Amino acid sequence: MGTTDAGRHAQVVVVGSGPAGLTAAIYSARANLRPLVLAGEPSSTSDQPGGQLMLTTEVENFPGFVDGILGPELMQRFEEQAARFGADIVRRRVTRVDLSERPFRLWTSDSAGQEESVPDVSADCLIVATGARSLMLGVPGEDRLLGHGVSTCATCDGFFFRGQEIAVVGGGDSAIEEAVFLTRFASKVTIIHRRKELRASKIMQDRAFANERIDFRWNTVVVEVLGASKLEALRVRDTTSGEESLMELAGLFVAIGHEPNTALFQGQLELAANGYLVTHGGSSTSVDGVFACGDVQDHVYRQAITAAGSGCMAAIDAERWLESSKHRRP
Ligand code: NAP
């Protein structure tokens, strides 16, 4: 793409290239809609092409892969499948959109961050699959050991910690839910929370307090994640005494919340109070002709398979909408 392709038009433009976006691309490509996928830009952490699975090692819960598959390899396969049916997958970031009239207009930027001065893509119909990102602690070692002992998804990675001692950081419902789930595998789960009280709902708190495998480390923050090639220990600080100590652990689950990638659509699409895109009647958004799928509109399930399923829904909704809008247009 770039200036030479300025003014490029597609019937269906998919923004995002995680399981939701690429499934939407596979389905719309097989419906002969020749979708253009704006996949994101590799040097960016917020719109990583391939989505959150690119930050995962082994994926064992995606149906069809009996022996599991590496997250990046799974996304490579999604991409090849979409390309095989004619989806055009372009590594660019969308920096701005105008959804006020059709065709919708999009501005993109290249790896140098150079934004097109004029909208360089237009679309009859838009599928938003920009995903969400886990909030991270931002401490040394965390990024390096993500997928090597540090995880953001208990459902995905809990199984790898059978019989081992692990920790969960956070004090909300997610942290408690993850911790309780993880006791199915781990011998002990320590919840590390920066305050003395949990934010989680009373029922979740009761569940955690009643669980013999769950321990609490109150008024504590993680200051460093340690380990050569996999997580071996955490350096933590007591926020009341300021004292630092080491906790030897095999795993750390960061559960301090998620943030949907919806900044592009603020003021143009209806967002829920928690920032996620609102969808209704399948994958429709508040703007006719704009559909959304995957984690950008799902704060509940957040799984690759549910994202892929909703990508399929968005493609079918888009196809039907294009078909019916043919008759509506002047
Ligand atoms: P949340 O409610 O915002 O809780 C985030 C937790 O992480 C808080 O305890 C917060 O500490 C802590 N935290 C935030 N930043 C931190 C940092 N930099 N370092 C250390 N700790 C940090 O997020 P959530 O638990 O993901 O829940 C989000 C929403 O989904 C909530 O409305 C929740 O009720 C809902 N949810 C419901 C269920 C369920 O009902 N089964 C399950 C999951 C989520 P502080 O408490 O000190 O602020």
Side-chain angles (χ1 to χ4, degrees), residues 135-139 169-178 192-201 203-204 207 220-222 254-258 274 276 299-300 302:
L135 297 176
M136 300 304 288
L137 299 168
V139 298
V169 188
D173 281 327
S174 293
I176 304 303
E177 196 171 75
E178 303 266 272
I192 301 174
H193 185 36
R194 62 185 178 185
R195 294 187 294 134
K196 179 79 181 85
E197 287 126 39
L198 295 173
R199 175 179 298 280
S201 52
I203 185 166
M204 299 293 278
R207 217 169 278 172
T220 301
V221 290
V222 176
V254 180
I256 60 172
H258 288 83
N274 60 6
Y276 285 75
H299 62 95
V300 178
R302 299 196 281 242

Side-chain angles (χ1 to χ4, degrees), residues 39-55:
E41 205 285 300
S43 65
S44 159
T45 49
S46 63
D47 61 353
Q48 163 88 47
Q52 295 178 72
L53 282 190
M54 299 302 283
L55 310 173

Side-chain angles (χ1 to χ4, degrees), residues 23-196:
T23 303
I26 291 168
Y27 272 77
S28 40
R30 291 192 80 256
N32 277 340
L33 293 170
R34 297 193 55 79
L36 170 65
V37 180
L38 299 170
E41 205 285 300
S43 65
S44 159
T45 49
S46 63
D47 61 353
Q48 163 88 47
Q52 295 178 72
L53 282 190
M54 299 302 283
L55 310 173
T56 315
T57 45
E58 202 71 24
V59 179
E60 289 192 328
N61 56 7
F62 200 87
F65 295 92
V66 181
D67 300 317
I69 183 168
L70 295 174
E73 190 188 336
L74 179 60
M75 292 326 298
Q76 179 65 30
R77 290 190 185 205
F78 268 67
E79 188 172 318
E80 284 168 9
Q81 195 174 353
R84 180 183 155 213
F85 294 111
D88 188 3
I89 301 162
V90 175
R91 297 240 173 308
R92 285 181 78 90
R93 274 192 87 204
V94 178
T95 53
R96 202 161 19 133
V97 297
D98 180 354
L99 308 179
S100 62
E101 56 182 3
R102 292 201 299 269
F104 304 123
R105 298 184 303 157
L106 295 90
W107 286 252
T108 70
S109 79
D110 59 17
S111 56
Q114 193 71 42
E115 182 186 297
E116 297 290 347
S117 53
V118 291
D120 51 330
V121 174
S122 64
D124 289 333
C125 157
L126 191 67
I127 296 180
V128 178
T130 47
R133 57 182 176 276
S134 297
L135 297 176
M136 300 304 288
L137 299 168
V139 298
E142 180 187 43
D143 258 6
R144 184 172 54 81
L145 294 173
L146 190 61
H148 303 276
V150 178
S151 170
T152 55
C153 176
T155 316
C156 318
D157 298 332
F159 190 80
F160 302 118
F161 297 96
R162 271 176 187 275
Q164 304 187 63
E165 293 198 11
I166 59 177
V168 173
V169 188
D173 281 327
S174 293
I176 304 303
E177 196 171 75
E178 303 266 272
V180 170
F181 176 78
L182 287 165
T183 59
R184 294 183 196 186
F185 312 102
S187 54
K188 184 176 147 197
V189 179
T190 303
I191 296 178
I192 301 174
H193 185 36
R194 62 185 178 185
R195 294 187 294 134
K196 179 79 181 85

Side-chain angles (χ1 to χ4, degrees), residues 217-239:
R217 192 83 179 240
W218 302 110
N219 298 318
T220 301
V221 290
V222 176
V223 289
E224 190 175 0
V225 179
L226 302 162
S229 57
K230 64 184 176 56
L231 183 138
E232 288 160 22
L234 302 178
R235 187 185 307 283
V236 296
R237 183 168 54 232
D238 185 311
T239 56

